[in-house]
Amino acid sequence: MNGKGLSEYSWLIIARLLSRNYSVRTAFEYLRKTMPDDTGVQRICEHLENGGQLADVLSDNGFERKLRFYVRYLPLGQSIKVTAEELRIVRESRKKFVSGVSYQVILMICSMGVLLLFTKVVLPVMIRSLDTGYRKTASILLRFRIIALIQNSFLILAAGIGLSYRYVTITGKQELLWVFLHRHKRDGRLRVIVTCAMARKLKILLDNGVSILAALKIIRYGTRDPLVRLLAFHFDEKLEAGEDFEKSLDMDYFDPRFHSLCLLGLKGDDFPSALDDYIDMVEVTLNAAIKRISLVFQGVCYLFVAVTVVLAYQVLLLPLEMLQQF
């Protein structure tokens, strides 16, 4: 159902009331009394009073869209807590990623802007007053063309990667792409990312009192990430086929470190802590990789700007050099 829906804050109030053993209807009645002008609360209360199901009246905003799935499998209080925790982790991850790459993105945009400004605005004006047949002038212009070619090639490559990713996501071929990469043993980094994403979802559900088997079912049918869903599908299928939990962890699509740490956790009867250890390990590895890539990218951008500035300086000196020839 479309509509604005309740705020995340309102849902967390409902979860707290439910944790104090109030009924769902009583919790919403309390919310209606404290928020009489909230049309979303009024709509839900009226829907429940008419005997409707809560899932049928939830809106399509981010929080309620997730909540609408979970309430089909879990009590409302658990569903709210799981949804809130998932969104909190997504926000934190996005914030870390943006803070980690924002400087490099700004640096890239500025370096390309400097080159564009000089080649499209400054350089044409200066060239009109120079002898383009002069050997050094022609050499500098050639270097500018080479730098512009490198920049355009990079932009075309980035656009190609972006369009390819968009095509794969729109057509829903992420699973086929992963299977192809896995078959050719080129999915190492992707396997780590997807395994970590599934471990996060599994940890959230376990922390909120959901059993392992039920949590796998929920991830298998509920996540919007098709790759996590594929991983949970294979995991769940092995369990349904009667394999022991320990054996089901030994799967090619899992990161090998996940398998090893989970076995240690099971032996110590502390599987959730094993998930925490794995997530922390992956975060350290990925953060180090992002930092290395950022440093390389940063160095390339600095070099790009330095070469542009040096060539610009040489262009500025050309009139003096040409005068010395007379």
Side-chain angles (χ1 to χ4, degrees), residues 89 195-204 258 261 272-286:
I89 290 176
T195 304
C196 185
M198 197 203 76
R200 285 185 187 278
K201 290 180 178 292
L202 187 57
K203 179 67 167 52
I204 291 171
F258 178 77
L261 282 174
S273 292
L275 293 177
D276 268 334
D277 292 339
Y278 174 73
I279 292 168
D280 291 341
M281 182 187 298
V282 170
E283 283 187 346
V284 170
T285 303
L286 291 179

Side-chain angles (χ1 to χ4, degrees), residues 10-253:
S10 298
W11 282 113
L12 291 174
I13 293 176
I14 294 292
R16 172 161 291 197
L17 292 173
L18 294 175
S19 69
R20 301 187 188 283
N21 298 319
Y22 290 103
S23 67
V24 173
R25 183 167 295 184
T26 301
F28 276 104
E29 284 296 331
Y30 169 81
L31 207 62
R32 177 156 63 175
K33 290 177 182 177
T34 56
M35 301 178 180
D37 298 328
D38 193 318
T39 56
V41 176
Q42 300 292 338
R43 187 180 71 250
I44 291 176
C45 288
E46 291 172 3
H47 184 77
L48 294 177
E49 288 170 356
N50 293 328
Q53 296 294 318
L54 180 62
D56 298 332
V57 76
L58 296 179
S59 70
D60 289 330
N61 69 35
F63 190 93
E64 291 193 2
R65 185 174 62 246
K66 282 183 173 290
L67 183 63
R68 185 166 52 204
F69 168 77
Y70 283 119
V71 294
R72 302 183 190 277
Y73 290 88
L74 302 172
L76 179 58
Q78 271 185 311
S79 300
I80 295 171
K81 291 177 181 177
V82 168
T83 302
E85 183 66 10
E86 273 197 14
L87 290 176
R88 182 188 68 80
I89 290 176
V90 168
R91 293 188 195 108
E92 288 183 355
S93 299
R94 186 181 297 131
K95 184 177 179 181
K96 287 180 182 178
F97 179 77
V98 170
S99 64
V101 303
S102 57
Y103 175 73
Q104 284 73 24
V105 172
I106 293 173
L107 184 62
M108 179 188 70
I109 293 173
C110 290
S111 62
M112 290 187 175
V114 168
L115 178 63
L116 186 65
L117 176 66
F118 196 84
T119 54
K120 300 298 182 182
V121 178
V122 179
L123 190 60
V125 175
M126 298 184 65
I127 291 301
R128 293 192 196 103
S129 62
L130 297 175
D131 180 9
T132 55
Y134 183 49
R135 181 177 56 82
K136 195 164 185 179
T137 304
S139 174
I140 293 175
L141 290 177
L142 177 61
R143 293 174 201 171
F144 269 112
R145 292 192 187 100
I146 291 173
I147 294 176
L149 179 62
I150 294 173
Q151 174 184 276
N152 293 336
S153 300
F154 172 78
L155 292 175
I156 291 172
L157 178 62
I161 293 173
L163 291 173
S164 299
Y165 174 78
R166 186 63 178 165
Y167 170 77
V168 169
T169 54
I170 289 177
T171 56
K173 294 182 178 179
Q174 297 98 313
E175 298 98 327
L176 294 176
L177 177 61
W178 190 14
V179 170
F180 173 80
L181 293 174
H182 182 73
R183 188 177 300 153
H184 293 84
K185 302 186 184 302
R186 293 291 184 270
D187 66 331
R189 188 72 67 183
L190 177 62
R191 186 169 30 167
V192 171
I193 294 172
V194 178
T195 304
C196 185
M198 197 203 76
R200 285 185 187 278
K201 290 180 178 292
L202 187 57
K203 179 67 167 52
I204 291 171
L205 290 165
L206 294 180
D207 286 346
N208 283 279
V210 183
S211 68
I212 292 178
L213 295 179
L216 284 174
K217 291 285 186 188
I218 291 172
I219 297 171
R220 173 178 177 175
Y221 294 110
T223 181
R224 296 174 66 86
D225 187 335
L227 298 184
V228 174
R229 190 168 58 237
L230 177 65
L231 194 57
F233 166 78
H234 286 296
F235 196 1
D236 191 43
E237 284 292 304
K238 283 199 168 190
L239 292 174
E240 287 188 350
E243 288 193 16
D244 293 334
F245 189 79
E246 292 84 352
K247 286 187 177 180
S248 66
L249 289 168
D250 188 12
M251 186 170 59
D252 287 343
Y253 284 93

